Amino acid sequence: GENVEQHPSTLSVQEGDSAVIKCTYSDSASNYFPWYKQELGKRPQLIIDIRSNVGEKKDQRIAVTLNKTAKHFSLHITETQPEDSAVYFCAASRGAHYGNNRLAFGKGNQVVVIP
Amino acid sequence: EAGVVQSPRYKIIEKKQPVAFWCNPISGHNTLYWYLQNLGQGPELLIRYENEEAVDDSQLPKDRFSAERLKGVDSTLKIQPAELGDSAVYLCASSHDYQGETQYFGPGTRLLVL
């Protein structure tokens, strides 16, 4: 099955700086890659996702890039704010085309924004 | 639009006791998922339903775990008997249908087995 790994496990950044989290995946057939943000004790919330026919997607201060050849995708947060502090999970799935929407999650990255 | 609803939010039981979790997905979402999330880990799929049918339950420990979604809306996940290692957060998620990849999560049920 799919194996998703995230790096680094913990990331501390100064407020206003950028944060980058990288994920690698193993299944070359994966074509859907969402990122979830989870604050302590709360539900995972989708913040951005990308499909394999797109190399980059941006939403305000958040962007995701995908390199299918290298099988990795990254989350970029610019102008970080204290409310960006959370655990971020990446995931991958083959999506609807295979009738299999099983998401494989990474272990998560703890992002700490230092005021 | 109301999100995915789960209850209870917290549950403390003694080992060997049964426990049940309930999930109400987003209205109109045909696909429902149950995930297990251990501390410091990402969610792991237990079972996926398309309407009433369990289409992916390969990771559900069937000796003690069971689930149902009788009318294709609400779902219940049961553990009987619970073990110490079952302490975790049980998350429910839903998506529009098998062609909708975006999954929306509920707040989870935090289970502590003593």
Side-chain angles (χ1 to χ4, degrees), chain A residues 31-32 36 38 41-44 46 49 51 89 93-97 99-108, chain B residues 3-4 9 33 35 37 40-43 45 48 56 58-59 91 95 98-107 110:
Chain A
N31 59 18
Y32 174 65
Y36 284 84
Q38 188 174 30
K42 297 192 175 180
R43 73 186 74 197
L46 180 72
D49 57 14
R51 288 170 174 79
F89 292 98
S93 81
R94 291 188 171 190
H97 303 288
N100 179 352
N101 202 18
R102 177 189 289 197
L103 277 175
F105 283 85
K107 292 186 176 181
Chain B
V4 176
R9 292 295 314 277
Y33 314 78
Y35 286 89
Q37 186 175 27
Q41 302 291 319
L45 182 70
R48 173 169 66 101
D56 185 355
S58 58
Q59 301 193 109
L91 292 164
S95 62
Y98 76 96
Q99 292 188 353
E101 290 108 344
T102 302
Q103 298 182 28
Y104 299 89
F105 282 84
R110 187 173 299 272

Side-chain angles (χ1 to χ4, degrees), chain B:
Chain B
E1 175 182 89
V4 176
V5 179
Q6 290 187 247
S7 70
R9 292 295 314 277
Y10 306 92
K11 189 73 176 179
I12 301 174
I13 61 172
E14 294 187 347
K15 63 180 180 181
K16 300 185 182 180
Q17 294 301 306
V19 64
F21 315 123
W22 175 81
C23 173
N24 178 245
I26 292 172
S27 178
H29 282 195
N30 300 324
T31 307
L32 183 146
Y33 314 78
W34 282 103
Y35 286 89
L36 166 69
Q37 186 175 27
N38 286 306
L39 188 65
Q41 302 291 319
E44 300 172 35
L45 182 70
L46 290 172
I47 189 169
R48 173 169 66 101
Y49 280 93
E50 299 291 347
N51 299 302
E52 307 86 23
E53 184 181 2
V55 297
D56 185 355
D57 63 355
S58 58
Q59 301 193 109
L60 187 73
K62 298 181 182 65
D63 57 336
R64 298 185 299 107
F65 286 67
S66 64
E68 60 182 16
R69 194 185 184 198
L70 295 176
K71 297 184 178 180
V73 180
D74 295 0
S75 177
T76 302
L77 178 69
K78 298 178 182 178
I79 308 174
Q80 182 171 12
E83 297 178 352
L84 296 177
D86 296 331
S87 297
V89 176
Y90 292 83
L91 292 164
C92 179
S94 69
S95 62
H96 189 265
D97 56 31
Y98 76 96
Q99 292 188 353
E101 290 108 344
T102 302
Q103 298 182 28
Y104 299 89
F105 282 84
T109 297
R110 187 173 299 272
L111 174 67
L112 178 60
V113 182
L114 301 176

Side-chain angles (χ1 to χ4, degrees), chain A residues 37-104:
Chain A
K37 175 184 180 183
Q38 188 174 30
E39 297 177 60
L40 189 63
K42 297 192 175 180
R43 73 186 74 197
Q45 289 196 302
L46 180 72
I47 56 172
I48 196 166
D49 57 14
I50 193 168
R51 288 170 174 79
S52 59
N53 58 344
V54 176
E56 181 176 357
K57 184 176 179 181
K58 188 174 181 180
D59 183 3
Q60 299 182 356
R61 296 187 298 107
I62 295 172
V64 56
T65 57
L66 172 65
N67 184 327
K68 285 216 73 180
T69 302
K71 290 191 283 188
H72 68 71
F73 55 112
S74 299
L75 178 70
H76 305 253
I77 307 173
T78 59
E79 301 173 20
T80 53
Q81 300 169 5
E83 53 264 38
D84 294 329
S85 295
V87 177
Y88 292 82
F89 292 98
C90 62
S93 81
R94 291 188 171 190
H97 303 288
Y98 290 85
N100 179 352
N101 202 18
R102 177 189 289 197
L103 277 175

